[in-house]
């Protein structure tokens, strides 16, 4: 029913576009406008709406120009964003045309961060990356861990459409932590030559993403922790200086 499009922008950002059979589109986290406008014109897409995951400029920088270009477009996001948008406050769903997204509050990277799920696509912003997770800037480690645990409950075939291409760096860190992990080594070999590694699939992330594995007793024992939060905090703090 839907088709996924991806526009690489800035240093390592992705702008995602989801189209329906009528070639109408939802744009997720447009950090820049011109690449989106060029893509829309080339593919004759009709933009209906914009979804924003959080307030950082590399996710919102193109909104004003896109809104000026497409005056009927609707823009939605968390109330931490200082833009003229429709704030999604205590809403668990947003409908735009015939698109319907589950709205998932995932504080941690920022306090108001939202993720959007339209089966099988999860637009996770800077919360969940392939083989990694976002830095904890405004929230707490507990909030970020709880957010990731919430996303882990989605169906196994969920496609992770994160906002940055960080996979190789994340896997290099994971191998430093677990040099003998066969799943991580095999996945790194599989994607090492790829310029684009997204979307990834949740079932694979549960194997190769350390931040989704902090519940594993064997990992807690290996690093001398006795609970999930302490191990997560250790991994995240180590990744910050990696």
């Amino acid at each position: 029913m839907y088709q996924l499009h991806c526009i690489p922008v800035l240093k390592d950002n992705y702008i995602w576009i989801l189209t329906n059979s009528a070639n109408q589109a939802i744009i997720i986290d447009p950090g820049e406008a011109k690449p989106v406008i060029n893509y829309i014109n080339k593919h004759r897409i009709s933009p209906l709406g914009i979804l924003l995951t959080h307030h950082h400029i590399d996710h919102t920088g193109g909104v004003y120009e896109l809104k000026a270009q497409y005056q009927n477009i609707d823009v939605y996001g968390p109330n931490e964003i200082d833009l003229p948008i429709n704030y999604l406050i205590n809403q668990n769903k947003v409908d735009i045309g015939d698109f319907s997204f589950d709205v998932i509050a995932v504080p941690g990277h920022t306090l108001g961060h939202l993720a959007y799920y339209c089966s099988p696509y999860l637009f996770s912003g800077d919360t969940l990356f392939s083989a990694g997770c976002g830095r904890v800037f405004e929230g707490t480690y507990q909030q970020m861990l709880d957010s990731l645990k919430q996303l882990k409950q989605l169906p196994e075939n969920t496609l992770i459409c994160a906002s940055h291409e960080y996979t190789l760096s994340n896997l290099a860190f994971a191998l430093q932590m677990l040099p003998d992990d066969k799943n991580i080594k095999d996945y790194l070999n599989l994607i090492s030559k790829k310029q684009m590694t997204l979307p990834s699939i949740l079932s694979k992330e549960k194997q190769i993403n350390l931040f989704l594995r902090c519940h594993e007793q064997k990992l807690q024992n290996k690093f001398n922790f006795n609970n999930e939060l302490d191990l997560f905090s250790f991994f995240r703090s180590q990744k910050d200086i990696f």
Side-chain angles (χ1 to χ4, degrees):
M1 181 179 177
Y2 299 120
Q3 183 174 354
L4 185 68
H5 310 254
C6 185
I7 306 173
V9 297
L10 303 172
K11 181 184 176 184
D12 48 38
N13 279 71
Y14 288 141
I15 299 171
W16 298 97
I17 296 179
L18 197 64
T19 56
N20 62 14
S21 56
N23 226 23
Q24 298 170 316
I26 307 298
I27 303 160
I28 296 92
D29 281 356
E32 289 187 305
K34 281 188 171 54
V36 176
I37 294 169
N38 292 340
Y39 193 91
I40 283 172
N41 290 340
K42 180 179 178 180
H43 296 275
R44 299 181 179 180
I45 291 170
S46 301
L48 290 182
I50 295 173
L51 295 177
L52 303 174
T53 61
H54 64 293
H55 65 81
H56 291 158
I57 191 66
D58 59 324
H59 298 253
T60 64
V63 170
Y64 275 118
E65 192 173 341
L66 289 171
K67 186 68 176 164
Q69 181 81 12
Y70 310 106
Q71 294 180 11
N72 294 324
I73 202 169
D74 291 314
V75 187
Y76 298 86
N79 62 357
E80 65 181 23
I81 295 176
D82 187 19
L83 289 169
I85 67 173
N86 299 291
Y87 291 133
L88 297 171
I89 302 171
N90 297 323
Q91 286 181 238
N92 57 17
K93 195 168 283 292
V94 60
D95 297 320
I96 310 170
D98 68 356
F99 293 89
S100 184
F101 294 84
D102 291 335
V103 179
I104 308 170
V106 284
H109 182 68
T110 66
L111 287 175
H113 199 301
L114 299 176
Y116 302 96
Y117 176 67
C118 180
S119 180
Y121 305 107
L122 172 68
F123 301 98
S124 56
D126 284 2
T127 296
L128 176 61
F129 300 123
S130 181
C133 74
R135 286 178 180 264
V136 179
F137 282 129
E138 298 175 10
T140 64
Y141 288 132
Q142 183 70 69
Q143 285 177 311
M144 180 61 96
L145 177 60
D146 289 344
S147 293
L148 293 173
K149 288 167 73 172
Q150 193 176 184
L151 297 181
K152 272 173 66 176
Q153 303 307 310
L154 292 170
E156 293 284 293
N157 68 340
T158 297
L159 296 175
I160 312 299
C161 305
S163 291
H164 291 275
E165 181 57 68
Y166 289 161
T167 312
L168 289 177
S169 171
N170 288 337
L171 287 170
F173 169 74
L175 268 185
Q176 178 174 291
M177 293 290 102
L178 297 177
D180 299 321
D181 190 294
K182 186 176 187 304
N183 285 326
I184 294 171
K185 285 194 287 189
D186 287 350
Y187 194 65
L188 179 57
N189 289 335
L190 180 68
I191 59 99
S192 60
K193 299 278 180 14
K194 292 185 178 180
Q195 288 189 317
M196 183 175 180
T197 65
L198 298 174
S200 62
I201 190 165
L202 184 57
S203 57
K204 176 59 69 174
E205 291 301 319
K206 289 180 179 180
Q207 296 176 349
I208 55 99
N209 192 324
L210 295 186
F211 300 98
L212 300 183
R213 295 176 53 190
C214 295
H215 64 284
E216 295 180 16
Q217 193 68 53
K218 286 170 65 174
L219 281 187
Q220 293 178 19
N221 293 342
K222 177 178 175 62
F223 293 98
N224 296 315
F225 295 107
N226 59 15
N227 65 76
E228 192 173 9
L229 177 60
D230 285 347
L231 180 58
F232 175 81
S233 303
F234 170 72
F235 282 154
R236 186 58 262 180
S237 62
Q238 291 301 301
K239 182 64 171 67
D240 288 346
I241 60 175
F242 177 70

